[in-house]
Amino acid sequence: MSENRKYNYPKRLSILRFFLDAEGIRRNPIPFHKRYFDEFGDSFSIKIGKSRNIILSRDNDIAQYILQKHHKNYHKSKFQSVYLSKYLGKGLLTVDGEFWLKQRRLIQPAFHKQKMNQLVENMREIIIYELEDLAEDKQVDLFPIMSELAFNVVAKSLFQFSISDQKLNRIKFIIEEVQNFLIKEIRLPHKAWWFSISGQVKKHLALAEENNKIIKQIIEERSSSENEVNDLLNMLLETRYEDSGEGMTINQLIDEIKILFIAGHETTANALTFTLFLLGNNPAVQQQVFDEVTKIQSETEDVVEQLQKMVYTNAVLNESMRLYPPAWITDRQNVEDDTLGQFNIKKGTLIGVSFYELHRNPKYWNNPDEFNPERFLGDQKKHSMQYFYPFGAGPRMCIGAGFAIYEMCLTISHIVKNYSIISVKNTVDFNPLITLKPVDVKVVFSNRND
């Protein structure tokens, strides 16, 4: 597109209104996004200064175009490539272009279904152990329990026997500290000078470096060990680049492991919390999960076979992630000028796709705010999957999706088989941070065997 050709954008939200709403948006952008979509349509734009353009969309065609059909022209934004990489390094989540493709091709085989099947028994044992002391017949805050479980499943699937509880707890502490500070940096850019001169940036960079050292020590101990261990670290150590036949450097391996911790921990904890909350408010659905799990477990003791038969449980999970997608928004910037639907957009336009709003867009979903697992069963499933992005889409779709589904199905089936769940409230609060984080979700577990 020539420089002279006129650019055009979706209906504009005035910059004055945006700044008037800014404090509310900082606290929780979702109600504001909904208001703007209802007023302007499925896409709207903001112009900042003379040349900075931002588009926010809940349009499925736009999502498909930037994530799949024309993904090579749409790279991750500076938020992901600069802010995140400062603390997380240059792993799959934060890099683009040829280097990303090289890493993706290298790591993908470690997450092949057959490889995941090898981890299932270990995963199941960790989940049973984590849920052993579940408090019964009293209100419990669900997210901390699911967060602890999800973190330990990722950590022990990565490292199996190679890590002490002390190191594990330190990694968890550092990840949470750094992530909380990162959110402050992103949401309060005008305070960047204060974060710098007050030493907060330096402190959190030092924590990130400490995390690197802990992971490096684990890798070096494993590399020098002759014990055969069937975990993700072993699979990653065995991977080889196609062109050179060499494995990853230790520093690159550290960066990829940090990404797996972040991506595989909080998103899963969020999804499990929302799913159990929904089951606690829908006893008929909970009963159907119980009936399915009981039937499957009477038919086979093979855990992989059990997982493959959990059709209804999977539908419940999908419907939960439709209503409350853990990765609730994504963004891209176009490398070159482009035509996006009916809009001619300038290179460098920041495009956000709200999966939260797309998943509730009445254009694609009947009664979009209603919890209905039937959407993901039988003939309805084919329709629903066209507009469903729990793990993103296209070549950059989450590499650990299969791992996460296994973990969540095992957790839900174990809990529902052994406990009935009652949610204390019928509405749920959440905080849209980097992920959609549930807040103050209380449930009561009652032992089914009593």
Side-chain angles (χ1 to χ4, degrees), residues 179-189 195 200:
Q179 193 171 347
N180 289 337
F181 180 64
L182 179 62
I183 290 156
K184 277 169 69 177
E185 277 195 304
I186 292 161
R187 289 202 170 174
L188 303 168
F195 294 147
Q200 292 183 61

Side-chain angles (χ1 to χ4, degrees), residues 156-207:
K156 288 170 184 174
S157 296
L158 262 168
F159 301 135
Q160 202 162 345
F161 308 114
S162 308
I163 186 164
S164 67
D165 285 345
Q166 184 186 358
K167 283 180 185 172
L168 200 59
N169 290 334
R170 188 62 185 165
I171 290 173
K172 188 168 190 281
F173 170 80
I174 290 170
I175 286 172
E176 286 174 355
E177 284 287 300
V178 167
Q179 193 171 347
N180 289 337
F181 180 64
L182 179 62
I183 290 156
K184 277 169 69 177
E185 277 195 304
I186 292 161
R187 289 202 170 174
L188 303 168
H190 57 287
K191 289 193 173 180
W193 64 275
W194 169 247
F195 294 147
S196 186
I197 66 165
S198 64
Q200 292 183 61
V201 172
K202 188 178 178 183
K203 173 191 164 185
H204 288 90
L205 285 171
L207 281 172

Side-chain angles (χ1 to χ4, degrees), residues 48 62 74 91 119 272 306 400 426:
I48 298 175
I62 286 178
Y74 290 87
L119 300 175
L272 283 169
Q306 289 175 358
N426 58 11

Side-chain angles (χ1 to χ4, degrees), residues 219-254:
I219 294 167
E220 287 174 342
E221 284 172 3
R222 174 66 64 82
S223 298
S224 61
S225 165
E226 292 181 4
N227 295 335
E228 282 209 17
V229 183
N230 187 27
D231 60 11
L232 276 171
L233 175 57
N234 193 54
M235 292 176 190
L236 292 171
L237 283 166
E238 287 178 351
T239 58
R240 294 291 178 268
Y241 290 110
E242 290 173 0
D243 54 353
S244 66
E246 293 177 355
M248 272 185 275
T249 64
I250 281 196
N251 287 341
Q252 189 59 47
L253 189 52
I254 290 167

Side-chain angles (χ1 to χ4, degrees), residues 4 69 114 150 196 209 219 282 319-321 341 364-365 373 375 396 429 435 441:
N4 298 325
K69 294 175 183 172
Q114 284 175 315
S196 186
E209 187 51 40
I219 294 167
N282 293 272
E319 178 66 347
S320 167
M321 291 191 291
Y364 312 125
W365 308 90
R375 298 181 207 271
R396 294 202 76 133
D429 294 321
T435 63
V441 179

Side-chain angles (χ1 to χ4, degrees), residues 315-446:
V316 169
L317 253 178
N318 283 345
E319 178 66 347
S320 167
M321 291 191 291
R322 180 189 71 81
L323 286 169
Y324 303 105
W328 69 279
I329 195 165
T330 194
D331 59 43
R332 296 288 189 271
Q333 278 180 290
N334 53 321
V335 179
E336 300 294 340
D337 287 3
D338 202 0
T339 301
L340 189 63
Q342 67 203 61
F343 309 112
N344 297 324
I345 64 170
K346 192 175 183 179
K347 73 174 183 180
T349 297
L350 178 65
I351 302 155
V353 174
S354 170
F355 296 137
Y356 181 90
E357 285 293 337
L358 197 158
H359 282 180
R360 292 169 182 255
N361 190 335
K363 190 158 83 175
Y364 312 125
W365 308 90
N366 293 324
N367 303 315
D369 295 325
E370 180 186 300
F371 175 62
N372 177 15
E374 302 291 324
R375 298 181 207 271
F376 293 95
L377 293 171
D379 293 340
Q380 286 190 63
K381 183 176 180 180
K382 191 176 178 182
H383 169 84
S384 296
M385 294 305 282
Q386 299 173 82
Y387 311 108
F388 185 51
Y389 299 85
F391 299 103
R396 294 202 76 133
M397 187 169 166
C398 173
I399 201 168
F403 180 96
I405 292 290
Y406 275 3
E407 178 186 348
M408 291 189 286
C409 281
L410 285 169
T411 303
I412 289 162
S413 62
H414 180 79
I415 290 175
V416 172
K417 176 81 190 298
N418 293 287
Y419 302 92
S420 62
I421 310 149
I422 299 172
S423 294
V424 173
K425 294 192 291 186
N426 58 11
T427 57
V428 66
D429 294 321
F430 50 74
N431 192 0
L433 302 171
I434 295 171
T435 63
L436 192 69
K437 191 169 181 178
V439 176
D440 193 32
V441 179
K442 300 269 198 325
V443 300
V444 177
F445 292 111
S446 299

Side-chain angles (χ1 to χ4, degrees), residues 1 15 17 34 102 162 195 210 213 226 261-262 277 287 289 296 306 308 310 319 329 346 376 419 425 432 449:
M1 191 185 298
I15 194 70
R17 183 170 166 194
K34 176 160 177 45
K102 186 179 178 183
S162 308
F195 294 147
E210 182 190 344
K213 285 177 181 171
E226 292 181 4
F261 264 123
I262 296 286
F277 158 79
Q287 183 64 42
V289 173
I296 289 167
Q306 289 175 358
Q308 287 164 352
M310 287 183 195
E319 178 66 347
I329 195 165
K346 192 175 183 179
F376 293 95
Y419 302 92
K425 294 192 291 186
N449 304 314

